[in-house]
Amino acid sequence: MNRLNTPLISRIASSKYLDRYAETESKQLSNLPQLGQLTPIVIPVFDEAPSFLNTVRAHLPIDQPILWIVVFNCPEPCNAEQQKKTQDALNQMIQHSTPIVDKIGNLSLREATPQSYLLTVDRTTQALPKKQGVGLARKIGCDIACRLMLQKIIAVNWVATTDADATLPYDYLSTLQAHKKALLDASTSALIFPFKHVSHHTCRTDPTTLATQLYEQHLNHYVNGLKQAGSPYAYHSLGSTLAIHPLFYAQVRGFPKRAAGEDFYLLNKLNKLAPVTSLEHPRVLLQTRLSQRTPFGTGPSVEKLLVDDQYLDGIQSYHPDGFKWLASLIKLFDQLAKAPPSQRLSQYTHALHQLGDTWPAMMQEIGLTAALPRLLEQHKEAGALRKAINDWFDAFKTMKFIHLIRDHCLGEALLRPATHCASR
C-alpha cells in the first residue's frame, strides 16, 4: 500500500496546501491508527432528516470500506429550527454508532460497520459565514480526507463528495477502484458520475418531480450543447456526483468557499491541470425535493418553475444555435494555433468579421480582444497556444459567451417537458 502511495503523498506534501490553506479541522486529528484502504466520502449536512445516511448508502453493499466524513453545519443566517434539526441529525447518528475511537474538539471518529468508519464534524453552533456556506463545508471534509492520506492513516484514494439527498449506486466503490490507474498516474483530475432525479411520486401527482426533471433537461441541454461544440468544459458540475484527485485538489487550494457554485469553480480549475472525466455509469440518484439551502441552483430554479405552474409549459433554455456559434469560435481557436505565428492576429481579425457584425463586440465583452495579443506573444508553439487559449476561455467565459448570445442575439428556446418521469 505505502509503496504505491508514496510518490503521490510526496507530491501532495510538496504542494504545501495542507500546511498553508487547509481548514483548522483538518489539523486536529493526529495519532490515529491506520484505518486502511478506505474511500473517503464527504457529505455536508444542513437541515436534513436524521435518517439521511441510510438513504445515501441504501444501495451500497454493507461491507464497503468507506470513511464517511459528515460535516454538520449551519450557514448564516441559520434559524433555531434549522439548527436544532441539524443538531438532532448529528445526535441521532452518534447514538446509533458504535463507541468512539477518537475525539478532538468538534471531530469524532467512530466505527460505522466492521469495514467502515464515521467521522463527524460539528459546525452546528459555530455558524459558517453566509457567503461561504456549502463550499466551506465541502472544503472542511475534503481537507480532512487529504490530511489523513498525508499522515498515511488512510491510503491515497479518490476524495468523493456527495449530498444528503443522494443515493449512491451499488457499484460506486468498484467504479472508483476501476479508475485506480488514473489516480496513481495523475492523468485525471476528477471523475463525474452521471445522475438522475427520482421520486416515489408519479409524474401526474407531484409537481416538484416534474419541475425538477424539467430543470435536469435544461442542465443536460447545456452540457450536450457544449459537447457538440467541442468544448473541453462539457461536463456536469454537481457536488453530489464528484470524486476528486487529492493531488490536484491540493494544487487548486481546495473547494472555493462559496454559498453555491463551489463545484463549478472547483472543476473549472481542475480541468486546466488534468482532464475531468465524465463517467457513463453507474448513476447517482438524487431526490426530487424543494430546497432553499443555496441561493441558486436546482432548488431555487425548481421553485421558480412551480410558480403559476410554469413547469407544465416547459423551461426557457439556451437556443441551440448558440452552441453552433460556440463551435465556430472553437474552430477559430484551432485555426489560429495551426497558423504561422506572424499571421495569427491578422487571421483572427479577418475571421471575426467574417463570422458577423456582432462578433467583435462580443469578443471585447468577454475580454478576448485584450487577452489574445498577450497569449499569441507568450505561446508560439501550436500545442502550447491551444492549451493557453483553452485555459483562458474556460468554463466561466464559455458560459458568459453563451449568455451574451442569449441576451443580445438569439434569445431563448423553450424546452418542452419530457413525456415520462423516473420513479425509484
Side-chain angles (χ1 to χ4, degrees):
M1 179 183 75
N2 291 341
R3 180 180 63 82
L4 289 175
N5 288 337
T6 297
L8 274 182
I9 288 175
S10 299
R11 294 175 69 185
I12 293 170
S14 66
S15 72
K16 304 297 184 183
Y17 167 74
L18 292 171
D19 291 334
R20 297 177 181 176
Y21 306 105
E23 299 306 308
T24 302
E25 285 86 353
S26 73
K27 303 173 184 180
Q28 293 180 9
L29 284 176
S30 59
N31 301 319
L32 292 179
Q34 282 198 348
L35 302 179
Q37 300 274 358
L38 302 181
T39 298
I41 301 180
V42 176
I43 310 176
V45 174
F46 165 55
D47 195 21
E48 298 286 356
S51 60
F52 74 89
L53 191 55
N54 293 333
T55 300
V56 173
R57 62 188 181 187
H59 293 174
L60 293 176
I62 195 170
D63 60 348
Q64 297 288 276
I66 295 172
L67 174 62
W68 300 100
I69 304 177
V70 185
V71 184
F72 292 87
N73 66 94
C74 290
E76 299 172 343
C78 181
N79 62 47
E81 182 180 348
Q82 291 172 323
Q83 185 181 45
K84 182 179 184 304
K85 188 175 180 180
T86 304
Q87 288 174 333
D88 287 346
L90 169 60
N91 292 334
Q92 182 165 323
M93 179 171 288
I94 291 173
Q95 291 170 8
H96 290 83
S97 297
T98 56
I100 194 166
V101 174
D102 195 15
K103 178 176 174 58
I104 299 179
N106 61 331
L107 280 68
S108 299
L109 178 66
R110 289 174 167 79
E111 287 188 28
T113 70
Q115 299 293 326
S116 66
Y117 288 82
L118 171 65
L119 177 61
T120 58
V121 182
D122 184 359
R123 284 298 299 266
T124 59
T125 54
Q126 182 187 359
L128 303 183
K130 180 179 180 180
K131 294 184 178 181
Q132 298 182 7
V134 67
L136 176 54
R138 290 196 200 280
K139 186 175 187 293
I140 290 171
C142 293
D143 287 358
I144 290 172
C146 290
R147 174 74 66 180
L148 294 176
M149 293 178 196
L150 189 60
Q151 295 175 341
K152 301 182 181 179
I153 292 171
I154 63 174
V156 170
N157 208 328
W158 297 103
V159 181
T161 76
T162 193
D163 285 313
D165 65 341
T167 300
L168 302 180
Y170 179 87
D171 46 352
Y172 185 80
L173 260 64
S174 61
T175 300
L176 295 180
Q177 185 63 31
H179 289 81
K180 193 76 171 183
K181 184 178 184 300
L183 176 76
L184 296 176
D185 64 17
S187 59
T188 296
S189 61
L191 304 175
I192 302 179
F193 284 82
F195 68 95
K196 184 69 179 177
H197 286 94
V198 296
S199 173
H200 292 294
H201 300 284
T202 63
C203 288
R204 294 180 180 178
T205 60
D206 182 41
T208 300
T209 297
L210 279 173
T212 305
Q213 292 176 345
L214 185 60
Y215 183 70
E216 184 181 304
Q217 283 182 242
H218 165 71
L219 296 177
N220 291 337
H221 173 66
Y222 181 73
V223 172
N224 289 337
L226 296 187
K227 193 177 300 183
Q228 292 170 10
S231 170
Y233 298 93
Y235 48 73
H236 286 284
S237 302
L238 274 75
S240 52
T241 65
L242 304 183
I244 308 160
H245 195 292
L247 172 62
F248 297 118
Y249 175 86
Q251 288 180 349
V252 301
R253 299 184 183 178
F255 266 103
K257 300 178 186 180
R258 299 176 56 94
E262 77 290 346
D263 35 23
F264 174 86
Y265 287 99
L266 175 71
L267 289 171
N268 192 33
K269 292 179 179 180
L270 290 173
N271 198 44
K272 298 175 185 180
L273 298 180
V276 169
T277 300
S278 295
L279 304 176
E280 295 184 1
H281 59 80
R283 289 194 305 192
V284 174
L285 303 181
L286 304 177
Q287 298 175 39
T288 58
R289 63 176 186 173
L290 293 177
S291 174
Q292 296 179 332
R293 291 169 178 80
T294 58
F296 61 87
T298 302
S301 299
V302 169
E303 284 200 350
K304 290 180 182 178
L305 287 171
L306 291 173
V307 175
D308 299 327
D309 293 338
Q310 295 179 49
Y311 68 91
L312 294 174
D313 298 321
I315 185 172
Q316 293 293 337
S317 190
Y318 304 105
H319 197 291
D321 286 351
F323 299 106
K324 296 179 181 178
W325 290 36
L326 176 62
S328 297
L329 183 58
I330 292 174
K331 182 178 180 181
L332 173 56
F333 291 156
D334 291 336
Q335 292 171 343
L336 283 180
K338 296 174 182 177
S342 61
Q343 300 176 18
R344 285 169 176 165
L345 193 57
S346 60
Q347 182 172 317
Y348 164 77
T349 304
H350 176 71
L352 210 60
H353 284 89
Q354 282 191 322
L355 287 171
D357 295 338
T358 60
W359 279 78
M362 285 196 300
M363 295 303 98
Q364 186 168 352
E365 178 72 17
I366 65 173
L368 182 60
T369 302
L372 189 60
R374 172 179 55 81
L375 294 174
L376 295 178
E377 177 63 28
Q378 293 177 348
H379 306 281
K380 302 295 186 181
E381 193 271 325
L385 175 61
R386 194 65 189 90
K387 174 67 165 60
I389 293 176
N390 270 351
D391 289 351
W392 186 89
F393 191 69
D394 60 10
F396 177 76
K397 289 188 176 69
T398 297
M399 180 174 286
K400 185 176 181 179
F401 176 69
I402 293 295
H403 285 184
L404 281 173
I405 296 171
R406 176 196 65 190
D407 297 340
H408 301 294
C409 302
L410 299 177
E412 295 179 313
L414 185 67
L415 287 183
R416 296 289 183 182
T419 57
H420 66 281
C421 79
S423 59
R424 190 176 298 180

